[in-house]
Structure formats: C-alpha cells, structure tokens
Amino acid sequence: MAALLIVVLAAVWIAFAPIQMGGQTAYVIVDGVSMEPNFHFGDLAIIRQAKSYQIGDIVAYKNIPLKRYVFHRIIDIQSDHFVLKGDNNSWNDSYQPVQSELVGKFWLYLPHVGSWVRWARQPLNMGLMAGILGGILAIGIFYRRNRNGINMKRKSIGEWFHNLRLQSFHEIMSKASQSRIFKPFKTNPLLQEQTSNPRHIRNLNHWGQTLEGIFFLLALIAFASLVLGYFAFTRPTQQNVPDNINYQQVGMFSYSANAPAGIYDSTSIHSGDPLFPKLTCLVNMRFSYALAGIQPESLGGTYQLFAKILDEQSGWQRSIPLTSQTTFVGDTFVVSAPLDLCQVESLVASVEQSTTLYPSYYSLNIVPVVAINGKVAGHELNDTFAPALVFRFDKIVFSLVNDDPKANPLNPTQAGSIKNFRTEANTLTILGTDYEVGKLRLITLIGLLISMAGIAIIAGFISNLTRQSREALLQLKYGPLLVEAHDRIADAPSNIIDVGAMEDLVKLAERNNSMILYQSRNSINFYTVRNGASTYRYALSEMGNAASPLTLVELEEDLQRGLERGEFEVYYQPILTLADGKVSGVEALMRWQHPERGLIPASEFIPVAEATGLINPLGDWLLGVACAQLKTWRDNGLPLTLSINLSEHQLRGDPAGSILRVLQNSGIDPHALQIEVPDTHIIERLQNVIPKLQDLKDRGVQIAIDDATGNSALSPLPQLPMTNIKLERPVVERIVDKEKAVNLQRMIEAARGLGLKVSAVGVETQEQLEFLRSQYCTFAQGYLIGRPTSAQELTASLLDDRKLKSTEGFKNLQGEAIS
Ligand code: C2E
Ligand code: CA
C-alpha cells in the first residue's frame, strides 16, 4: 500500500511538478482573447517542456519587454528565432523568442481553473483558505480515530475550546506541577467516578495533539522559509535596468548666392537650387546647430566647416576647410562661410589634367565637423556630429543630392543616447507571480523567526514539563496512543507483567498494533497493554517527586524493604458511641515511618501496596499487631472494639482464614473485631467473598461497609452479610446543607431499617456531632473525637478522658501499649 502510494506520488510529481521546483510543468493562465475559440480568458493551460518545437505548436514564452508570459502559436521559425502569433490576431508578435525562452508546449487544458487560481493567489483569499484548511486540520487532529478500533471518546470542538478557556497554559503548567500534592482518591460506588481521570491530564493529552500539529506546522514554515531564503538570499535585492538618456543633434544647412537675372525666379539663389559655376562663383554656406536633450548643462565644443570634393569611383578626395576650428558655448551655434565654386571647378580641371582621369561626376560634401561635450540630465555627454550636405557635380552644375525621400538633406539629425542604468527592486517569480527579493527576504526572516520562536516555546514547554512532571510529559508524548479506560484494567489479579519503562510498553503496543490503555486510580497512573492473557503494565505513583515519580516496580521494592526493616506502624483512631458519648472502639490505620520521607499516611501507600500485592503481608502484619494491642486493652479491662480495613485485593485472598486464626490464637472475642470492606459494588463483584464474610459474621465478627456515599450503595445491602455501615467524610461534611442533611437523615433511617449500625467518619465539628446524635447515628469517628495516633499516645489520652477514667482496671493500661 505504502509502495503504491510512493509510486503514485512520484508519478504525480513527475507529471505536475512546476519548473520553479525542478519539475517540467508550467501553469499559464489565459489572459486574453487572442487564442479563442479554443482557449478562453481565465482558463488554465498546463505547459510541458519539450526538446524541440515545430510550426503549429502552441507554446508559452516570457515576453521580457512585456514582463509576462504569452501563450501563442508558432507560425514560422527564422534561424533560431520563433515567430509567433495569436490565432485571433492579424499581426505577428513583435517579440521573437529563441528556444531557451520558450517555457514549454501546450499539454493539458482546464477551463476556468485559471480564474480560481488567480482568486486563490490574492493574499486575503490565501489567508481565508489557510484558515479553513487549519480548521479542517484541527478537526482532524481532535477527531483522530484510534488505530485498532477501540472506541475512543470523541471530544467536540466546543468542549476543546471550553477546556482551553478553562485551563490556560499556566493552569496546566501549575496543575502539572501540583500533581504530587496528594488528594486521596476515594473508592466510589460509581465506577465512572472511580476511574475518572484528572482533568488536567486529559487536557495535556489535547495539548499533546495540538502541540504536535503546531510543531509540524512550524517545522513546515521553517522548511519553506529556508527554501525561500536560499533563493531570496542568493539573489541581489536590486537589479540594474537600462535607462538610457536620449538627445538629438539637429543641423540646418542653407546656402544662398547672387544670380544673374533671367535664369532663376529671382536674382538670388536659395537652398535646394542647383548651382552653376558659370553663373556664380561664390555661394554663402550656412549651417546652424542645436542639441535637443533634457536638462542640458555646461554644453560647448568646437566646429569647423569643410568642403570635400571626391570621386567615388577612384576614391580621390580633397578637403577644403571653409572655416578654421571654432569653439562654441551652449547648445547651439551658427556658422556661415563662402564657398568658391569656380575654385572647385578649376581644382577638378587641374586634377583631371594631371591624372588624365575624367570621371563623369564628382561629389561635393559640405561637412560641419562638430564636437560637443557637457551634461544632459546630469550625465556626461561627449559626442560628435558631422553631417554632409551632398552636391553632385558633373562639371557643369552642382545639384543637391536627395537619396532618401523621407529625409530632408538640408535638415540632418542624429539621435544619441547616454548609456544609463536605473536600479530597481529585483524580483523572483514564484508560480508565475513576481515577488520582490527584498520583501521575500523579510518574509523568510519573519517566517524563520516565528517558526523558530514557536519551536523554542514548544521545546521550552516540554522541557519545563519534563522538569515538573513526568506524568504530564508522558501524556504529551504518547497522547495519540493513549486511550482512557473505564474498565478496571489496573488490578487484574494475575498475569500482570510490570515493565520498567514506558518505551517498552509503546514498543509492545506498536507490535500489537494496539492502543495503550490509561487509567488514573488512587493516585497511581496505570498504562497497560493487553496481549492475549497477559497484561503488560507500566505504573507511576504520585508518591515521591512529580518530576521523577516512582514506578510501581521501584515502590514495590521500597515497600518490601520497609516491611523487612519494620518501618510500618499501626495508628489507632478512637470511635465514639453516640448514645453514651464514650469511646468504645478504635480503627487501626497503617502508617509508614519512611527513613527519608518521614511519616507517610495510609492513603498514599495503601494503593501502591494494593497494586503490587504487598497489601497481603502488610495486612497480615497489621492484623497480628492490632489484635495483640486489642488483647492488651481488653485484658486490662478496657472493653474496646477494633476495626480493621480490608482492601479489595485482600478480599480476593483468604481474609477469613487468617482472621479466624488470629482470633483463635489470641482468644479475643470475635464480637470485639470489626472488619471494614470497600464499597458494596466491589463486594458484589467479588461474589465468592460473600460466603466467607457470612462465615465471619456468623462467628460474631462485625462487618462494616466503608465509604458509603448514597442510596446507590445501600441498595445491594440486604443481600450482603453486613452489620455496620460507615458514612464517608463528604457525606458528613454536607450536613450543613439542609437538603443534603435530609438525604443523610434518610440514609441513616434506611440503614437502621435494615438492622445496620451506622458510623459516621470524618466528624470535625460539634455541629456535625450534634446532628448525628439527633439522628440516632450509632458511632462517630473523626478529628473532633481524636486523630489517629500511636497506641501509646491513644492510651495516654484515653487516660485523661473522663469518660473512660471510671472504667475499671484502666490504669493498668499505662505504658503497656504495643506498637
Ligand atoms: P478510611 O478507612 O476511610 O480511613 C479514614 C481515613 O480518614 C484515615 O486516613 C484517617 O486518617 C482519615 N480521617 C479520620 N478522621 C478524619 C477527619 O475527621 N478528617 C479528615 N480529614 N480525615 C480523617 P488514612 O489513615 O490515610 O487512611 C486512608 C485509607 O487507607 C483508609 O480509609 C483505608 O481505606 C485505608 N487503610 C488505612 N489503613 C489500612 C490498612 O491497614 N489496611 C487496609 N487495607 N487499608 C487501610
Ligand atoms: Ca475504614
């Protein structure tokens, strides 16, 4: 397919590449009616270069004086010049190009297309089309389909703009950098919410695609600017155009003589009359001179009048100066001198006698030799003028010769010109249009500047992201390959293969021709590729530095080390029975005393422990420690109950077995133990867990649903072996809102109706506590009652608590806490 495409593209290139780009084709828009009826104004004629051209071929050539292409037919070939004519014209083209000036021979014809091309070439229309094309491209980018058909969520342009408005560049940057500020990702009954992806990441994905598009556009502009720059900078910006300064030297001969009466009309002979030496010897020769030119300046020169008698056949000639050489100032002068015809006659006679050569006639030339210099139009002028007034002398009469019927021999003129060049802007022809080289250089520089600046900004943005968030960079880099998954891809219990680098996953995806599924859950970003029964996974946790987040593999090693080194602790949070206002129990919450990062709350590392499977050994360890602590408290007369959290991963194992073992070994009353399981939907999914929970319940162990958010979580409860329900913190927080308070009220009533005890988590204010009490909520837990703390501290604080002071045997507890 690709090879076919290359062949087709190559063929199109060979056929249609313009001459300006190294091809053989030129595009000429018919610009007149001279070739009608076959070619009309506004048609596009496609011309191809040919090796030779014949009479009858229709060709295009550049008419240099007209500065435009002409599209006419060859009607004749004269030596190396082609004579052309428009089919409709009655005249031939005045310009006759040589072969190298012919652009090519007519090849293809597209009616009206030329008009469209002309329209499209207008800068305004070009801008309009670029805008439309850009829009289409943008739509293409955002609507790009996933390669293997996984139904990728389509984002509307409207949404995109909405997102752009909401999340400016800076917001994205700051959000990307803040991504390490951890917000616990609470498990929620609605899967949709559970897997919801932080919005900024999605936007970065958009940005990645947009940036990619912009990057390619900028690279294209940079490339085009470089190519244009090559042509623009290798040509001069100015060119010398011939601009000659023209002038004219004009002479006026006249002669006069006296004549005997009766021969001529009068007794004086005038210019043009024949002269007979027999009638008159003396003739007055007169010559007036003028130079016509613009802005004459400092003109002057010399002149001398000669009479030259010559025999054209033998070449004999004799010059007779009629005046001496005279200088003149200005652009005119008049000279007159007598000419003795009898002297000429006797000279001829004596030469004939001496030479015995008897020509039938002689020429008498009256020649003023003029030399003029000065300035015309500010330019140096240095010229001569030596016209001749020619008489034919056949030894009887001197008659004026007039060879050229169009010219007056008495009024000789001589056109002159001073070579001059005018500098004008040099132009470069691109697709038939001339552009000034200087402007092209500017456009090139602006294009390069804009594209380079744009590329630099993108590079800066990416390098900034690299420094701030590896996660954001991944989204930017692999955005088009990523598909946001709404399935629980991240925690398939088996056949998960963790890869050490995103690049490995990309290779896998490319080999499988599949997309990378992306999901952000519990502050871990999972990237997975499914291949048969195996799931390849690359996961980044928001634990650690956002710029260099730890991969799950690294975290697993860290957790394992922490477990081996005994860095984990159990904290206990007191639980209050609302009916009597006494602390009746504790919830065991895990803490990690990290050697470098200090005390890490469970919310940060439990998701990692869960994803890596390390939650099982950790959970077993906690169960042992907390139950031993419970036994100490109870053995010392403190009737506390203990709540232990079990994660989804733990539930997939055999939690009931280990719990029963611990209970048996420690001899703790099963009624003193409560296990807290994740929301109802998870339990529903883990059907085989239900009998195990039932078994525990039957033995007296309390079973609480953690994090209940609303009625949706309560509906499956009648089928599940539950004893308690814990309302999550946001629900408790919302009681300030009257409407929400009514909901909470209904939830408590519904739970009580199912025979469940109700606990409220995250009680932080007295108002919340009072409300819960008024609604007959069973237990309350939160910072208001007590923060999670070490067993030792809790024991000490409980000691101070009057509610417990009365408890028998309580004092024995001091200093005996197990940690
Ligand atoms: P959870 O079961 O909902 O635990 C309550 C969390 O809320 C605890 O965070 C606790 O420190 C916090 N908390 C309690 N009262 C208040 C309050 O009034 N205000 C606020 N803002 N927060 C309050 P922690 O310890 O980080 O635990 C987070 C989650 O980690 C727990 O949520 C639980 O699901 C899980 N977890 C904790 N320890 C263990 C464990 O040993 N095993 C398992 N499987 N999960 C655990
Ligand atoms: Ca809990």
Side-chain angles (χ1 to χ4, degrees):
M1 188 66 191
L4 187 74
L5 195 73
I6 290 170
V7 170
V8 170
L9 283 178
V12 168
W13 174 261
I14 291 167
F16 294 105
I19 290 169
Q20 292 89 338
M21 293 169 78
Q24 297 201 321
T25 313
Y27 299 83
V28 176
I29 301 168
V30 178
D31 208 9
V33 293
S34 62
M35 291 301 281
E36 280 190 4
N38 293 327
F39 301 93
H40 301 87
F41 191 91
D43 293 346
L44 184 76
I46 303 179
I47 308 293
R48 267 181 84 72
Q49 280 180 335
K51 285 204 175 72
S52 64
Y53 299 89
Q54 315 298 327
I55 292 174
D57 286 348
I58 299 173
V59 296
Y61 68 94
K62 181 145 191 185
N63 186 322
I64 293 166
L66 287 179
K67 277 184 145 190
R68 51 182 283 214
Y69 287 99
V70 177
F71 180 63
H72 280 167
R73 193 185 295 277
I74 299 173
I75 56 156
D76 195 11
I77 302 171
Q78 287 180 356
S79 67
D80 58 343
H81 284 270
F82 291 88
V83 181
L84 293 110
K85 180 176 150 321
D87 288 355
N88 265 359
N89 293 350
S90 55
W91 63 91
N92 296 349
D93 295 7
S94 60
Y95 194 79
Q96 295 180 348
V98 291
Q99 171 139 2
S100 61
E101 288 171 297
L102 295 183
V103 180
K105 207 188 275 189
F106 166 66
W107 180 47
L108 276 176
Y109 162 71
L110 300 169
H112 310 300
V113 175
S115 305
W116 305 342
V117 173
R118 191 175 285 134
W119 178 88
R121 262 198 219 146
Q122 301 291 319
L124 190 72
N125 301 336
M126 241 183 219
L128 191 77
M129 285 189 305
I132 294 172
L133 207 72
I136 293 170
L137 268 177
I139 292 170
I141 288 169
F142 295 118
Y143 278 68
R144 191 143 79 186
R145 264 187 176 277
N146 158 347
R147 281 192 298 176
N148 66 349
I150 293 173
N151 195 16
M152 208 167 132
K153 230 172 108 185
R154 285 184 174 215
K155 310 270 168 26
S156 72
I157 287 287
E159 188 187 340
W160 184 72
F161 277 113
H162 178 70
N163 284 347
L164 272 193
R165 247 180 295 136
L166 276 180
Q167 308 230 287
S168 67
F169 189 82
H170 282 288
E171 275 181 270
I172 290 166
M173 295 291 289
S174 66
K175 284 202 174 184
S177 63
Q178 283 166 13
S179 60
R180 65 164 269 96
I181 297 171
F182 189 78
K183 295 180 192 78
F185 213 79
K186 286 280 178 182
T187 318
N188 202 300
L190 297 170
L191 255 177
Q192 200 80 1
E193 277 178 46
Q194 226 178 62
T195 54
S196 74
N197 193 359
R199 196 182 181 89
H200 73 273
I201 291 291
R202 247 184 273 166
N203 279 340
L204 275 174
N205 210 317
H206 282 295
W207 271 99
Q209 293 175 4
T210 313
L211 283 185
E212 194 184 308
I214 295 172
F215 183 83
F216 281 121
L217 194 72
L218 290 173
L220 203 73
I221 294 174
F223 178 72
S225 301
L226 277 176
V227 172
L228 198 65
Y230 171 76
F231 289 108
F233 282 93
T234 50
R235 273 160 184 70
T237 51
Q238 307 241 294
Q239 60 178 346
N240 286 332
V241 183
D243 187 20
N244 292 348
I245 295 155
N246 298 322
Y247 59 88
Q248 201 166 32
Q249 297 186 81
V250 183
M252 184 60 86
F253 286 104
S254 62
Y255 56 90
S256 60
N258 292 327
I263 305 290
Y264 298 94
D265 286 346
S266 69
T267 54
S268 56
I269 297 167
H270 300 288
S271 304
D273 290 344
L275 298 165
F276 298 90
K278 286 266 178 304
L279 297 178
T280 175
C281 274
L282 271 184
V283 177
N284 187 33
M285 278 293 163
R286 195 168 182 275
F287 176 74
S288 59
Y289 170 91
L291 184 133
I294 44 165
Q295 297 167 22
E297 230 182 291
S298 331
L299 288 176
T302 58
Y303 62 83
Q304 189 172 10
L305 200 60
F306 289 91
K308 279 185 188 169
I309 179 86
L310 55 105
D311 167 28
E312 278 167 13
Q313 278 176 334
S314 68
W316 170 82
Q317 71 166 34
R318 178 81 186 268
S319 268
I320 306 157
L322 298 181
T323 66
S324 57
Q325 196 179 54
T326 313
T327 56
F328 70 96
V329 177
D331 51 3
T332 58
F333 69 84
V334 179
V335 57
S336 57
L339 169 68
D340 190 342
L341 298 177
C342 300
Q343 189 191 345
V344 175
E345 192 181 27
S346 58
L347 174 70
V348 166
S350 83
V351 171
E352 281 186 357
Q353 205 178 9
S354 310
T355 59
T356 64
L357 180 75
Y358 300 99
S360 53
Y361 68 91
Y362 292 88
S363 287
L364 174 69
N365 294 1
I366 308 299
V367 183
V369 177
V370 183
I372 187 162
N373 54 57
K375 278 186 176 177
V376 174
H379 286 77
E380 285 301 327
L381 166 95
N382 226 321
D383 208 351
T384 55
F385 187 40
L389 183 70
V390 183
F391 291 91
R392 189 183 152 108
F393 175 51
D394 57 3
K395 296 171 202 167
I396 295 167
V397 61
F398 288 88
S399 43
L400 197 57
V401 175
N402 192 2
D403 285 341
D404 184 356
K406 282 188 211 152
N408 178 1
L410 291 165
N411 185 200
T413 57
Q414 181 182 304
S417 78
I418 303 167
K419 267 208 178 317
N420 185 40
F421 289 96
R422 174 168 46 89
T423 48
E424 74 175 26
N426 196 11
T427 56
L428 192 67
T429 309
I430 301 168
L431 298 174
T433 309
D434 289 340
Y435 298 94
E436 281 181 21
V437 171
K439 281 186 187 158
L440 283 182
R441 284 188 182 185
L442 195 72
I443 291 171
T444 303
L445 286 178
I446 291 173
L448 263 181
L449 215 72
I450 290 176
S451 51
M452 290 304 166
I455 288 171
I457 289 171
I458 292 179
F461 174 64
I462 291 171
S463 87
N464 216 338
L465 271 185
T466 326
R467 262 182 275 122
Q468 298 198 31
S469 164
R470 186 150 133 211
E471 176 58 30
L473 184 73
L474 284 182
Q475 293 289 333
L476 202 63
K477 205 165 157 191
Y478 301 112
L481 259 186
L482 300 180
V483 175
E484 191 191 339
H486 287 268
D487 190 11
R488 295 177 67 87
I489 52 156
D491 42 52
S494 57
N495 294 331
I496 286 195
I497 298 158
D498 278 307
V499 296
M502 184 68 172
E503 285 69 27
D504 295 338
L505 210 63
V506 171
K507 275 187 216 152
L508 266 164
E510 281 172 353
R511 193 170 304 158
N512 291 354
N513 196 21
S514 67
M515 303 296 283
I516 297 175
L517 298 175
Y518 166 76
Q519 192 175 77
S520 175
R521 270 203 328 125
N522 296 335
S523 66
I524 306 173
N525 298 308
F526 294 96
Y527 298 89
T528 52
V529 169
R530 281 185 189 156
N531 186 15
S534 304
T535 298
Y536 293 87
R537 181 173 74 174
Y538 177 73
L540 284 177
S541 162
E542 290 188 19
M543 275 183 80
N545 192 324
S548 56
L550 297 168
T551 63
L552 223 51
V553 180
E554 291 161 336
L555 280 170
E556 187 178 357
E557 284 168 12
D558 207 9
L559 272 174
Q560 185 73 50
R561 236 190 336 262
L563 194 61
E564 284 160 13
R565 291 181 188 165
E567 291 168 4
F568 291 94
E569 287 176 24
V570 185
Y571 271 35
Y572 300 90
Q573 186 172 28
I575 298 170
L576 197 74
T577 302
L578 284 168
D580 60 5
K582 284 182 183 171
V583 171
S584 60
V586 290
E587 178 174 353
L589 295 163
M590 216 178 306
R591 294 290 178 267
W592 185 2
Q593 193 63 57
H594 196 279
E596 284 143 33
R597 295 205 295 271
L599 192 71
I600 306 175
S603 52
E604 276 193 38
F605 68 85
I606 290 290
V608 179
E610 216 177 320
T612 56
L614 276 178
I615 190 71
N616 285 333
L618 268 174
D620 289 346
W621 168 82
L622 176 125
L623 188 67
V625 173
C627 284
Q629 179 62 53
L630 179 69
K631 186 162 167 32
T632 308
W633 277 322
R634 290 181 77 89
D635 285 351
N636 287 284
L638 190 62
L640 289 175
T641 58
L642 172 72
S643 280
I644 280 175
N645 292 286
L646 286 187
S647 72
E648 185 180 348
H649 198 89
Q650 283 171 287
L651 287 172
R652 284 207 189 93
D654 179 22
S658 41
I659 289 168
L660 290 175
R661 255 193 315 279
V662 172
L663 284 178
Q664 246 164 18
N665 294 346
S666 61
I668 294 171
D669 175 6
H671 292 90
L673 188 67
Q674 171 167 290
I675 59 165
E676 297 184 5
V677 294
D679 70 89
T680 47
H681 292 268
I682 294 176
I683 304 299
E684 271 189 310
R685 255 202 317 278
L686 305 172
Q687 278 295 322
N688 54 348
V689 156
I690 297 171
K692 292 175 193 164
L693 292 179
Q694 187 65 53
D695 182 36
L696 285 176
K697 187 187 165 193
D698 294 343
R699 289 167 195 264
V701 175
Q702 303 291 296
I703 299 173
I705 277 282
D706 222 348
D707 294 337
T709 45
N711 288 328
S712 62
L714 299 182
S715 51
L717 274 178
Q719 289 88 50
L720 301 177
M722 298 297 150
T723 57
N724 288 40
I725 173 164
K726 290 189 88 167
L727 302 177
E728 73 160 9
R729 203 164 73 235
V731 179
V732 175
E733 270 168 10
R734 277 184 233 134
I735 61 158
V736 274
D737 179 342
K738 286 256 151 46
E739 223 174 281
K740 303 260 166 63
V742 173
N743 274 347
L744 179 62
Q745 202 175 331
R746 288 207 191 105
M747 271 179 76
I748 295 173
E749 272 170 23
R752 283 160 58 84
L754 291 169
L756 301 172
K757 281 172 255 170
V758 183
S759 307
V761 176
V763 180
E764 290 182 353
T765 66
Q766 197 63 39
E767 187 192 0
Q768 290 168 338
L769 191 70
E770 289 313 321
F771 179 82
L772 292 164
R773 204 194 304 271
S774 71
Q775 297 306 315
Y776 303 104
C777 182
T778 329
F779 303 108
Q781 178 186 353
Y783 290 173
L784 181 73
I785 297 137
R787 286 178 179 257
T789 180
S790 67
Q792 217 163 357
E793 273 183 37
L794 181 71
T795 310
S797 79
L798 288 180
L799 259 180
D800 289 345
D801 193 333
R802 268 197 238 121
K803 291 165 207 133
L804 279 169
K805 269 181 189 159
S806 58
T807 311
E808 230 176 282
F810 185 75
K811 285 193 174 81
N812 298 341
L813 278 167
Q814 266 183 301
E816 286 186 27
I818 296 166
S819 58

